[in-house]
Amino acid sequence: MTTPMLTVCAIAAVAVLVWHVFALPMSNPYYGIFSCDLDLQVYRAGGQALLERSPLYRGPIVWEMEFTYTPFAALVFVPLALVGVMTAKVLWWIAILVALVALVARCLLVLRYENTARTWVFATLLAMVCTALEPVRSTIWLGQINVFLVLLIVWDLTRPADARLRGIGVGLAAGIKLTPAFFLLYLACTRQWRTLGIATATFAATIGIGFLTRPRDAWTYWGAQVTTSGRVGAVDSPGNQSINGSVAQLLRFLDADGFRIGTVYTPPMWMWLAAAIPVIALGLYAATLAYRSGHVLLAITVAGMTSACASPFSWGHHWVWFMPLFILAIHHVRTAVDPGRWVPLAVVLSVSFCWWWNYPDRPPLAESPHPIGIGLFMLPRDDIPDWWSYIAVPVYAACYPMLLIATAIYVITRRRDLPAHPDAEPGSHRAFGTVDLDSREPLLERSCK
């Protein structure tokens, strides 16, 4: 890790800290990065419900929020209910920040950066920079769990093919939150049969634990709640950055009242699948190409982004997969030689950056004087010219899925640069935490030669 890289990253980290203080002020009692913790309260309430033997799925579990995770997840959250609220907040924030550093470090080691103190310093600084990405900031702001799940999957699937219990991380992640179960399909497409078997068995074990410990809640969840995406939020919410959400938002924009249920525009199953299946196929194909050439981190990242597209409901913080994508884009700038090497980084940053917009003319929200839109998808839609709305609104509604599509197309169109090795598997460790992929060059380096 060179001194110029460390210097640039340190300057960027300081700039991000200043941005956190002034752009979306930490002092704001609702929008400050450490001021909300809404989802953390839901997790604590889920753990508390188990301790008190209360039902998990009969209605709101705290305030007006319902528990949308599995019964196994509630077991995982029990320790949060054993400590006070403030203690839980501090411990959770520290854990998130540690996970961010660990995720960056793991990505760097997989990309064959040396396992040195300088690399870990760089990883810490880059993790601070990544907090300016909307999915990462929202994770900290809400006290979300997604960064832990992404770290678990990345760690698990970047281990050697013969690593002990490789796949257990995927199974545990799926047992806590269903979206990571998409990786079972990815493992099948890439023919990682041993890993698929372990992941499936682990996932099944988490379901079994739920039935053994909370049989009534387990029957309720797996029998009905699991298919009810409306419990997460209004499908046509601007924050729903899945294919399903993008289609719903377009129906609302076009005033397609035939698809309105109450006040929510909801695409029927056939419409959702017609839009989602081609995108899912595209993402899986790109991930499979990347994997077969030995570029495992890229493959996992594309598969993770595809899982967020495939889910019926994906909030912005479900897209923490932008973090390894951001790291891959930085690596591309460092290793490539063509003049356009900055374009991928600029695209990733422009879409995933935590853009914000104040709405001073609207009533106070919670303890904030007025609402603040956070993320590209929350920028103004109502107070813009009609001609511009037909461009802006579709982009806002599908900005995150569009980034997946762009990434997948990039991988597919560069397929001639990928080394032909249909049975490529992660190789052996070169050093602690690093992976040697048969000494092949990174995709983003090869593609520019």
Side-chain angles (χ1 to χ4, degrees), residues 137-152:
R137 187 195 186 276
S138 292
T139 292
I140 301 171
W141 179 52
L142 294 168
Q144 253 289 333
I145 195 175
N146 288 296
V147 66
F148 300 108
L149 304 182
V150 171
L151 174 61
L152 188 58

Side-chain angles (χ1 to χ4, degrees), residues 13 44 101 208 326 396 429:
R44 290 190 73 252
V101 174
F326 181 59
Y396 296 161
H429 288 277

Side-chain angles (χ1 to χ4, degrees), residues 186 189-191 283-293 299 302 418:
Y186 161 76
C189 289
T190 52
R191 301 180 182 180
L284 281 173
Y285 180 50
T288 302
L289 281 180
Y291 175 80
R292 287 180 177 176
S293 65
V302 172
L418 302 179

